[in-house]
Structures are given as structure tokens and as C-alpha cells.
Amino acid sequence: MRIATWNVNSIRARADRVGAWLDRSDADVLAIQELKCKDDQFPEEVFTSRGYQVAFHGLNQWNGVAIASRVGLDDVTFGFEDVPGFGEEGDVEARAISAVCDGVRVYSLYVPNGRDLGHPHYEYKLRWLEALRLDAAAQLAGDDELGIALCGDFNIAPHDDDVWDMAAFEGSTHVSVPERAAFQSLLDAGFDDVVRPHTPGPGVYTYWDYTQLSFPKKRGMRIDFVLASSALSRRTASARIDREERKGKGASDHAPVIVDFS
DNA sequence: ATGGCCAGAGAATCTGGA
């Protein structure tokens, strides 16, 4: 089974590229982040016309997550247990969706950005990650042989090799000790980064800023991951980052990440 | 080829991204 994750940065602006990518990637399951549209604006036909079922969750022009699958899409769940909200109303945002695809519970996750160290959004990010860890750990506590794939844009560069220059990130989010500790806590709960062993660094990234010629200058970040539970991790056959998809006019600023499971 | 931001809302810039 081929599972991919991709922050598309607007599903409507990227509809043609996403369709073309599905055609050539041969992905069975695609976890999508940053839809940037409401449910009634979601272009379902991009997926249904190609034989995929699709579940999506979008509330406004921000965030939004979806899962497309051609190997079953069962028990669709929006959010997760005790997912925190943000803002004056504490509204829960559209940052998580999951479904069972061919026996694997696949999550599509768009972790809050954090904005700046000390910003309320940063505390929100850490709370959100802790709630995700508790949800995932609780599932594995019931059955540690469950196949779970936590896919998405984690907005964390876990290691110094995951950014082009640590000096450029002095005092920034994405590389702070608490964020990296939150990411490590997810791994400690029973998950493996199944992509890194197949895409060793340094200089291997999943995101390049639109500004400052970041992509041609190879100034990127590795912030998109597939974290697999132990039972699923053991089935990893190969993984890759589709850097080609970042090229050309109309590309997302993130590249798709693909994993093949036996 | 891989090139000095992009998308959405809404109607001039502003929010958010990272």
C-alpha cells in the first residue's frame, strides 16, 4: 500500500496539479493539508473521477485537511480526542482528520504553526501536539499492534540537519527545544519516522519558502512526516520525497512525501 | 531546467504562512 502526505497550500489553486500527481504517483492513500476552502468548495471530482473516495474537513479559508483513498475509507473521524481550539472563542480548527484505509488508521494532520516563540499560537501548538500524543498513545494502549500512520505537516524540524542553516533559525519556531521535545514524545509513544531512513540528509527537505529563491538555493526544511506505529513501521518497504513536484509555476511550497508498505 | 512569494477575502490592503 502506497501512502502519501502533501500540504497542497490550497486544494482549489492546486486541483490540476493534485490530479496530475495522483495519476503519476500511483498513491493508494493521500493525506492532504491546507485545503484553504470550506467543505462546499472542495473539488471532489478531482478524486472521485480517478476512483478515489475522499473525506474532507474545511471550515473557512484557513487550514483544512482531507484523506483520499482507493483502498477503502472507513470510520472517518474529524479531529481527535480533546483536540484544543484557538482564539477568543476557543474554536476547534480543521487541522485533523483520520480514516481507516485497508486496515490502517491514516491521519492527515496540520499542526499549528506557532507563529513566534511566546505567541499564544505557540502555546496552542504545544497543547495540540500533547493532545495528539495522548490520543495516539491511548489507541496503542488498547492494542499495540494497531497500524496507525500519523501523516502531515508537523511544522517542526526535529534535528539541526532538517533546516539549511541553524543560524538562520535563531529564536524562531519550528526548531525550539519544546517543539522538538513534543515531536520526540510522539516517537516515544510508539511511532517511527519511516521516511528518514530512506532519505538520509543533510540537505533533504520537504518544504521550501516561496521567497528569496529558496528552492533553487536549496534552502528548505524537513517538516512533513509519516510517523508509523511499530506494527506498520515494520512493513515499510521504501520512501521518498517528490522534490520534482516543487518545481515549476503553480507548485505548492511543500513536496509530497510517499511511503510504500508491504 | 529550478529563478527575486503565494492564496483567500474582498475591493485596498490585510491575514497567515514558516
Side-chain angles (χ1 to χ4, degrees):
Chain A
M1 175 167 54
R2 177 166 290 171
I3 299 180
T5 185
W6 188 10
N7 178 323
V8 298
N9 185 15
S10 172
I11 188 62
R12 287 178 293 171
R14 223 69 62 203
D16 289 348
R17 277 188 87 125
V18 170
W21 188 84
L22 284 173
D23 291 341
R24 71 173 182 278
S25 70
D26 210 31
D28 294 308
V29 180
L30 176 60
I32 309 168
Q33 300 87 40
E34 275 211 86
L35 304 179
K36 287 188 168 178
C37 71
K38 301 175 185 177
D39 280 349
D40 63 7
Q41 300 171 312
F42 185 87
E44 288 187 71
E45 65 286 354
V46 170
F47 304 92
T48 55
S49 66
R50 291 174 167 83
Y52 291 83
Q53 295 172 272
V54 63
F56 43 90
H57 181 35
L59 299 172
N60 50 40
Q61 71 269 42
W62 310 118
N63 316 308
V65 284
I67 301 177
S69 171
R70 63 180 186 191
V71 292
L73 190 71
D74 303 315
D75 194 17
V76 173
T77 303
F78 302 96
F80 50 80
E81 193 71 24
D82 295 326
V83 59
F86 182 72
E88 291 185 11
E89 306 298 325
D91 292 336
V92 173
E93 300 178 309
R95 294 181 177 275
I97 188 172
S98 69
V100 176
C101 308
D102 194 17
V104 175
R105 177 157 291 274
V106 178
Y107 284 72
S108 179
L109 303 165
Y110 182 40
V111 176
N113 171 288
R115 298 184 187 168
D116 291 298
L117 302 182
H119 192 284
H121 208 260
Y122 179 77
E123 299 303 323
Y124 167 52
K125 179 180 193 174
L126 296 176
R127 285 202 311 277
W128 198 95
L129 286 162
E130 174 63 3
L132 175 64
R133 182 187 71 81
L134 290 172
D135 173 85
Q139 291 188 57
L140 291 179
D143 178 359
D144 63 6
E145 286 301 301
L146 279 178
I148 302 175
L150 304 177
C151 304
D153 176 358
F154 285 75
N155 270 321
I156 298 172
H159 305 287
D160 289 358
D161 274 358
D162 297 328
V163 297
W164 79 90
D165 178 12
M166 273 302 290
F169 285 82
E170 183 73 34
S172 297
T173 58
H174 294 63
V175 299
S176 72
V177 170
E179 288 167 284
R180 286 178 168 180
F183 187 86
Q184 184 61 44
S185 292
L186 279 172
L187 302 184
D188 293 343
F191 292 86
D192 297 323
D193 172 358
V194 293
V195 177
R196 190 54 158 181
H198 297 272
T199 61
V204 172
Y205 310 121
T206 65
Y207 162 87
W208 298 261
D209 196 292
Y210 282 126
T211 68
Q212 313 268 241
L213 292 171
S214 297
F215 185 61
K217 290 183 175 177
K218 305 185 190 307
R219 295 177 178 174
M221 305 172 73
R222 193 174 72 101
I223 55 176
D224 301 272
F225 298 92
V226 175
L227 306 183
S229 62
S230 299
L232 180 62
S233 177
R234 290 194 291 272
R235 294 168 48 192
T236 307
S238 65
R240 65 190 183 90
I241 298 164
D242 189 358
R243 199 177 163 280
E244 292 297 307
E245 179 55 40
R246 180 63 179 79
K247 298 178 180 178
K249 188 173 179 62
S252 169
D253 42 3
H254 295 252
V257 178
I258 307 104
V259 183
D260 283 332
F261 296 100
S262 61

